[in-house]
Amino acid sequence: MTATAHAARIGAQSVAGFVAALAARVPAPGGGATAALHAAQGSALIGMVARYSQGPKYAEHARLIESVAAESDNVREAALHLADDDVRAFGAVAAAYRMPTGTQNEKTDRSKAIAQATQKAVVPPRDIIRLAGSIIELAETLLPVANRSVITDVAAASEAARAAATTARLNVEINLGAISDLTARAELRKSLEAVDDICGRAATLDTRTRELIGRPMTPVVSGGESIAQRRPSGY
């Protein structure tokens, strides 16, 4: 499988197609695209919980829940775009490394091209970290008012956001050394500081969710059946 075979938009690929591309010996997709898909899955879970938290029982918080659902859709789409951006960016890095080195001028041009391509390539993972923070914020907003039958998916969303952030951080860190612009490097290091906060907030959401599911749960009845009856037994 060649790099060209991976050119199709990741969001349009099947799961099997994406993981096959991920397993192939090509520069991308890799960790960056995987981080973006962690974020996409996390935001999708938020959207699902928000939509299961709509109806008369939740009328008091209807506008808030609707806002969360809409924003989760925006984050999900942004994450899928970043997956594509990451694939393109690291393809450009790989192309720069393949440049000729036969003469001193060629070596100089190659070094410049690598630095420029790498500086562009760290932008998608940096932005994925920001999206992960947005997912955590949505989860924190939604958890107190969410349908109790599906609140574990709020925690699952926060764990996906944590995975997105930590994976993206690694992708930035491994490329910092190739960035010659010291100001850009310092700004990137600064952006990584958000990851520990994201991880801490995800852990808090996990704890809060586990506390909530330890309490008696009243099924939400709609049309004669509960949410739990409509969803698989794990919910």
Side-chain angles (χ1 to χ4, degrees), residues 25-44:
R25 186 173 173 170
V26 293
T34 300
L37 289 191
H38 284 317
Q41 291 176 98
S43 54

Side-chain angles (χ1 to χ4, degrees), residues 14-230:
S14 67
V15 173
F18 173 74
V19 294
L22 195 61
R25 186 173 173 170
V26 293
T34 300
L37 289 191
H38 284 317
Q41 291 176 98
S43 54
L45 283 167
I46 293 293
M48 180 267 286
V49 174
R51 291 179 173 94
Y52 267 108
S53 304
Q54 293 175 333
K57 183 180 177 70
Y58 307 97
E60 179 183 356
H61 306 291
R63 295 182 69 177
L64 175 65
I65 291 169
E66 184 178 342
S67 175
V68 168
E71 182 58 23
S72 72
D73 291 344
N74 292 336
V75 172
R76 173 165 49 90
E77 189 62 27
L80 291 175
H81 281 298
L82 286 172
D84 293 328
D85 291 347
D86 185 83
V87 169
R88 286 190 292 268
F90 278 94
V93 172
Y97 273 101
R98 291 194 298 269
M99 289 175 65
T101 58
T103 67
Q104 187 56 48
N105 284 341
E106 287 177 338
K107 291 178 181 178
T108 299
D109 289 344
R110 177 178 178 271
S111 295
K112 289 180 179 178
I114 290 171
Q116 291 171 354
T118 302
Q119 189 163 334
K120 292 178 180 178
V122 295
V123 171
R126 179 204 66 191
D127 290 346
I128 291 165
I129 292 171
R130 294 174 179 170
L131 286 186
S134 297
I135 295 166
I136 293 294
E137 185 173 345
L138 290 170
E140 291 169 338
T141 301
L142 184 59
L143 183 61
V145 299
N147 182 331
R148 290 279 297 282
S149 297
V150 288
I151 57 171
T152 52
D153 287 306
V154 179
S158 71
E159 293 297 345
R162 173 165 28 190
T166 55
T167 303
R169 175 170 61 186
L170 290 168
N171 268 39
V172 172
E173 288 176 336
I174 196 172
N175 289 292
L176 284 175
I179 297 175
S180 55
D181 186 326
L182 297 181
T183 300
R185 193 187 302 179
E187 289 174 352
L188 284 165
R189 288 190 186 280
K190 183 70 174 175
S191 71
L192 300 181
E193 294 176 3
V195 177
D196 286 339
D197 178 65
I198 288 168
C199 292
R201 290 162 70 187
T204 298
L205 282 160
D206 179 86
T207 299
R208 288 171 59 195
T209 302
R210 295 175 73 188
E211 289 171 350
L212 286 169
I213 62 177
R215 303 171 188 167
M217 182 176 67
T218 302
V220 178
V221 178
S222 175
E225 61 179 352
S226 70
I227 294 295
Q229 289 172 320
R230 291 206 300 271

